[in-house]
Amino acid sequence: MSGVSSFVPTPLILTDRAVARVQSLMHEQQNTALKLRVFVTGGGCSGFQYGFDLTDTTAEDDTLITSDNVTLAVDPLSYQYLVGSTVDYEEGLAGARFLIQNPNATTTCGCGASFMV
């Protein structure tokens, strides 16, 4: 089957800044098992809201995505809303935060913390 290739998109992409921040937190807390959990909850000004947490445990049905020894954990409910998204980290006048660039969102709020599909 020459000439045929299959492409499986990465469910979520971690930017270099997000990876560096999680690695820094792992070092600060002296815990190499820390993972960045990304989740979606109802609420926020646009319907759904992004959440982030550091954890060293995962559930059996979590999707785990690893980049440069940093693992991102996503529960099955949140996963459907986040496929194809990019997880980034920024520091600015509003403070430091993880954020999501989500191609599935039809509307986002001004702060980027909530969205609608």
Side-chain angles (χ1 to χ4, degrees):
M1 297 188 78
S2 65
V4 176
S5 65
S6 62
F7 175 74
V8 178
T10 303
L12 282 102
I13 298 167
L14 282 157
T15 66
D16 291 342
R17 289 185 300 227
V19 167
R21 181 59 181 148
V22 175
Q23 287 173 337
S24 174
L25 292 166
M26 290 164 66
H27 178 72
E28 287 173 20
Q29 296 188 22
Q30 298 178 358
N31 184 350
T32 57
L34 279 182
K35 295 161 189 59
L36 178 63
R37 176 170 295 283
V38 179
F39 56 93
V40 173
T41 60
C45 50
S46 293
F48 294 101
Q49 186 169 303
Y50 300 116
F52 302 92
D53 191 18
L54 287 173
T55 183
D56 54 9
T57 60
T58 57
E60 188 175 301
D61 58 353
D62 281 343
T63 297
L64 304 177
I65 300 153
T66 302
S67 177
D68 293 327
N69 296 322
V70 168
T71 301
L72 184 71
V74 184
D75 66 89
L77 182 61
S78 298
Y79 180 86
Q80 64 186 328
Y81 296 108
L82 297 171
V83 170
S85 295
T86 300
V87 179
D88 198 4
Y89 179 78
E90 72 174 9
E91 293 180 14
L93 295 175
R97 65 185 180 143
F98 287 100
L99 59 116
I100 301 278
Q101 296 164 354
N102 188 340
N104 306 307
T106 58
T107 305
T108 58
C109 67
C111 67
S114 68
F115 69 102
M116 184 182 305
V117 290

